[in-house]
Amino acid sequence: MNFEDLKPKVLALLAANDLNRDEKLKNLCQFLSDSISYYNWVGFYFANHEAKTLHLGPYVGAATDHTVIPFGKGICGQVAESNANFVVPDVAAQDNYIACSFTVKSEIVVPLFVNGINIGQIDIDSHVIDPFTEKDERFLEYVNQEVAKLF
């Protein structure tokens, strides 16, 4: 699979004039889930810096109880504090992991910056151990750079 081939479709989805931001993000999540076989849950979390919490935004995949995550808790909460990508090859080996489903084997979280501020993140779970590479990181950084233009 070539991530470069997906970039024009990402741009087209985010440029849809007839949709609001959440609808665009939901469509983007669906596209990523449909296009990359090991992207089994794709969603966005957005930061409330005053409360130091992350709040679930648009997503596709299994329903989750984790609609609010405190900064520092789980992989997403750690990214909210570190401002750095976090790739977890095997969630069973992570101490500070919030289990969503027994089917989740790995996770990647990439922060979303607007004007230098981490406003949230894209979170992807996989049912495969260790599928994420540096190419996934670079692609998701690109996706978030484009998503940031919606804010």
Side-chain angles (χ1 to χ4, degrees):
M1 183 242 333
N2 186 344
F3 286 114
E4 290 301 314
D5 294 340
L6 302 180
K7 288 181 177 181
K9 182 65 174 173
V10 168
L11 293 177
L13 287 167
L14 296 176
N17 290 327
D18 57 331
L19 301 176
N20 67 38
R21 181 172 57 208
D22 280 357
E23 291 168 330
K24 291 177 186 182
L25 292 178
K26 176 94 172 185
N27 288 346
L28 175 61
C29 291
Q30 189 66 59
F31 170 71
L32 295 175
S33 178
D34 291 346
S35 301
I36 303 168
S37 63
Y38 52 92
Y39 284 19
N40 303 116
W41 189 98
V42 180
F44 287 90
Y45 281 92
F46 293 101
N48 177 328
H49 289 282
E50 288 181 18
K52 295 200 177 298
T53 52
L54 293 165
H55 298 263
L56 183 61
Y59 74 95
V60 296
T64 179
D65 293 334
H66 306 292
T67 58
V68 179
I69 300 173
F71 283 15
K73 186 165 174 57
I75 307 309
C76 291
Q78 290 176 76
V79 169
E81 291 186 331
S82 72
N83 297 320
N85 299 350
F86 199 154
V87 178
V88 181
D90 180 358
V91 297
Q94 270 298 318
D95 289 337
N96 189 4
Y97 173 70
I98 302 172
C100 295
S101 164
F102 69 91
T103 60
V104 175
K105 304 296 185 205
S106 57
E107 183 173 12
I108 185 171
V109 180
V110 176
L112 171 61
F113 295 98
V114 174
N115 299 321
I117 298 169
N118 180 352
I119 67 153
Q121 54 205 230
I122 190 167
D123 177 20
I124 299 174
D125 294 341
S126 179
H127 298 163
V128 179
I129 289 182
D130 200 16
F132 303 114
T133 68
E134 189 175 322
K135 290 180 181 179
D136 290 277
E137 286 188 76
R138 299 296 84 81
F139 174 66
L140 294 171
E141 288 168 354
Y142 168 82
V143 167
N144 276 356
Q145 286 171 353
E146 297 305 318
V147 167
K149 296 174 183 176
L150 299 177
F151 289 84

